[in-house]
């Protein structure tokens, strides 16, 4: 029997690429997103591999419990959870609709936390020794600094990073590893969704395939944090030594 990887936000971008890597590395997939058509496209592309689709809107209250129950009803346990679904919103904080910011927090933080809570016990108890087990939480280089005009998004990713680093320590020695994948600007639908097209952030982007590759390899090696790309690693390092006010100014400049 194959181990299972459940990937949220697998209908496009980084999640789509991660799903292909897990399938080709011997995992059966459960792919999750709102767009059934796009999930079906991925399933068709991976026709030689076992792929199950679950359509779920993770911004809805109770969605994660529903998702967990659907997985149980299929008689499946999950060895790898990839909390990738997420989005950003660009604009002045008080001008972005509160309900949109709440939905973002629900997906980026609450769903990620709840799914980790539901699936971790199964991972700990899994008898699939010898295969990498654990969680990849997709954070961002945004996690390392405050982000004017994307204030809530940057803060949500700081949560994801901090949460993941704490779990790494808690689950040491259990066979369950936790990796925070922190991409910089990546060529996906993200900037269109965030209304941030044309900002300096989009001047230099990595491909989602490169990001997924580095994330996958890092997870398999049991790395705590993976920052894909040399430039992104240097920027994240620089942010550590910079005053937070300077780093916020820099992020503001990049968002124009
Ligand atoms: N692109 C970047 O520059 C960048 C940089 C750092 C971090 N990230 C992070 O990388 C992750 C993936 O984003 P991406 O860049 O690959 O962007 P993307 O192409 O827009 O993909 C986002 C994925 O999340 C899913 N999603 C969004 N809202 C959802 C909801 N309410 N319920 C279920 N699924 C939902 C989308 O599927 P549906 O629309 O079909 O639901 C889609 O599959 C996100 O967490 C993002 O914050 C991106």
């Amino acid at each position: 029997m194959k181990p299972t990887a459940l990937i949220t936000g697998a209908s496009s971008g980084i999640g789509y690429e991660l799903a292909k890597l897990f399938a080709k590395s011997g995992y059966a997939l459960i792919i999750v997103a709102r767009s059934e058509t796009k999930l079906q496209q991925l399933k068709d592309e991976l026709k030689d591999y076992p792929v199950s689709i679950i359509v779920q809107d993770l911004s809805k209250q109770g969605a994660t419990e529903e998702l967990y129950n659907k997985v149980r009803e299929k008689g499946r346990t999950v060895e790898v959870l990839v909390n990738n679904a997420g989005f950003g919103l660009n604009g002045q904080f008080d001008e972005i609709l509160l309900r949109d910011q709440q939905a973002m927090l629900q997906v980026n933080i609450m769903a990620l936390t709840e799914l980790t809570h539901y699936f971790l016990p199964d991972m700990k108890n899994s008898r699939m020794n010898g295969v990498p087990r654990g969680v990849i939480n997709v954070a961002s280089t945004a996690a390392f600094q405050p982000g004017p005009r994307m204030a809530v998004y940057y803060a949500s990713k700081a949560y994801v990073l901090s949460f993941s680093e704490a779990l790494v320590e808690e689950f040491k020695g259990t066979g369950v590893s936790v990796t925070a994948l922190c991409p910089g600007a990546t060529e996906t639908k993200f900037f269109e969704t965030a209304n941030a097209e044309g900002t300096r952030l989009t001047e230099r982007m990595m491909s989602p395939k490169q990001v997924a590759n580095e994330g996958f390899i890092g997870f398999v090696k049991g790395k705590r944090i993976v920052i894909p790309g040399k430039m992104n690693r240097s920027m994240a390092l620089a942010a550590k030594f910079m005053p937070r006010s300077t780093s916020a100014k820099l992020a503001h400049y990049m968002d124009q």
Side-chain angles (χ1 to χ4, degrees), residues 56-75:
Q56 199 83 47
D57 182 348
L58 295 172
S59 71
K60 301 274 184 261
Q61 294 279 345
T64 56
E65 188 177 3
E66 237 178 66
L67 172 56
Y68 181 68
N69 289 336
K70 286 179 192 170
V71 172
R72 300 299 293 217
E73 278 159 23
K74 288 178 189 286

Side-chain angles (χ1 to χ4, degrees), residues 224-243:
R224 290 162 59 236
I225 300 177
V226 177
I227 305 171
K230 261 193 192 154
M231 176 64 95
N232 292 328
R233 282 193 287 279
S234 313
M235 296 298 284
L237 188 66
K240 272 192 189 166
F241 297 104
M242 233 179 254

Side-chain angles (χ1 to χ4, degrees), residues 42-93:
L42 176 58
K43 187 176 158 89
D44 294 345
E45 194 178 333
L46 293 171
K47 62 178 174 354
D48 298 329
Y49 302 93
V51 178
S52 306
I53 288 175
I54 300 182
V55 177
Q56 199 83 47
D57 182 348
L58 295 172
S59 71
K60 301 274 184 261
Q61 294 279 345
T64 56
E65 188 177 3
E66 237 178 66
L67 172 56
Y68 181 68
N69 289 336
K70 286 179 192 170
V71 172
R72 300 299 293 217
E73 278 159 23
K74 288 178 189 286
R76 304 280 290 276
T77 53
V78 165
E79 274 71 34
V80 176
L81 168 67
V82 183
N83 278 312
N84 164 76
F87 67 99
L89 293 170
N90 185 57
Q92 196 165 299
F93 169 66

Side-chain angles (χ1 to χ4, degrees), residues 9 11-12 14 34-35 57-58 84 139 153 157 183-184 186 188 190:
S11 63
S12 77
I14 298 167
R34 290 166 303 180
S35 166
D57 182 348
L58 295 172
N84 164 76
Y153 175 73
K157 293 302 182 178
T186 309
T188 67
F190 176 87

Side-chain angles (χ1 to χ4, degrees), residues 33-209:
R34 290 166 303 180
S35 166
E36 187 166 11
T37 316
K38 289 189 191 154
L39 291 174
Q40 189 57 50
Q41 270 168 21
L42 176 58
K43 187 176 158 89
D44 294 345
E45 194 178 333
L46 293 171
K47 62 178 174 354
D48 298 329
Y49 302 93
V51 178
S52 306
I53 288 175
I54 300 182
V55 177
Q56 199 83 47
D57 182 348
L58 295 172
S59 71
K60 301 274 184 261
Q61 294 279 345
T64 56
E65 188 177 3
E66 237 178 66
L67 172 56
Y68 181 68
N69 289 336
K70 286 179 192 170
V71 172
R72 300 299 293 217
E73 278 159 23
K74 288 178 189 286
R76 304 280 290 276
T77 53
V78 165
E79 274 71 34
V80 176
L81 168 67
V82 183
N83 278 312
N84 164 76
F87 67 99
L89 293 170
N90 185 57
Q92 196 165 299
F93 169 66
D94 60 336
E95 290 173 2
I96 303 174
L97 287 180
L98 186 57
R99 68 162 183 275
D100 292 345
Q101 309 218 39
Q102 286 167 327
M104 178 170 57
L105 288 171
Q106 191 68 31
V107 178
N108 294 7
I109 292 184
M110 289 310 296
L112 173 143
T113 308
E114 291 167 13
L115 289 175
T116 306
H117 197 265
Y118 284 125
F119 288 108
L120 258 172
D122 291 355
M123 289 174 201
K124 278 195 338 198
N125 299 330
S126 166
R127 295 207 191 90
M128 296 247 180
N129 292 319
V131 290
R133 280 179 285 144
V135 185
I136 300 180
N137 284 330
V138 181
S140 167
T141 49
F144 301 104
Q145 63 196 126
R149 290 188 63 79
M150 288 186 96
V152 176
Y153 175 73
Y154 275 56
S156 75
K157 293 302 182 178
Y159 171 93
V160 174
L161 177 61
S162 173
F163 171 62
S164 306
E165 286 185 280
L167 294 190
V168 171
E169 202 52 38
E170 276 189 39
F171 288 92
K172 244 180 206 159
T174 64
V176 173
S177 63
V178 179
T179 299
L181 172 58
C182 301
T186 309
E187 217 172 339
T188 67
K189 267 194 346 192
F190 176 87
F191 291 96
E192 186 191 327
T193 308
N195 194 24
E197 283 173 306
T199 60
R200 289 189 178 93
L201 288 167
T202 60
E203 280 171 6
R204 188 176 307 188
M205 294 202 270
M206 284 181 74
S207 75
K209 196 172 181 172

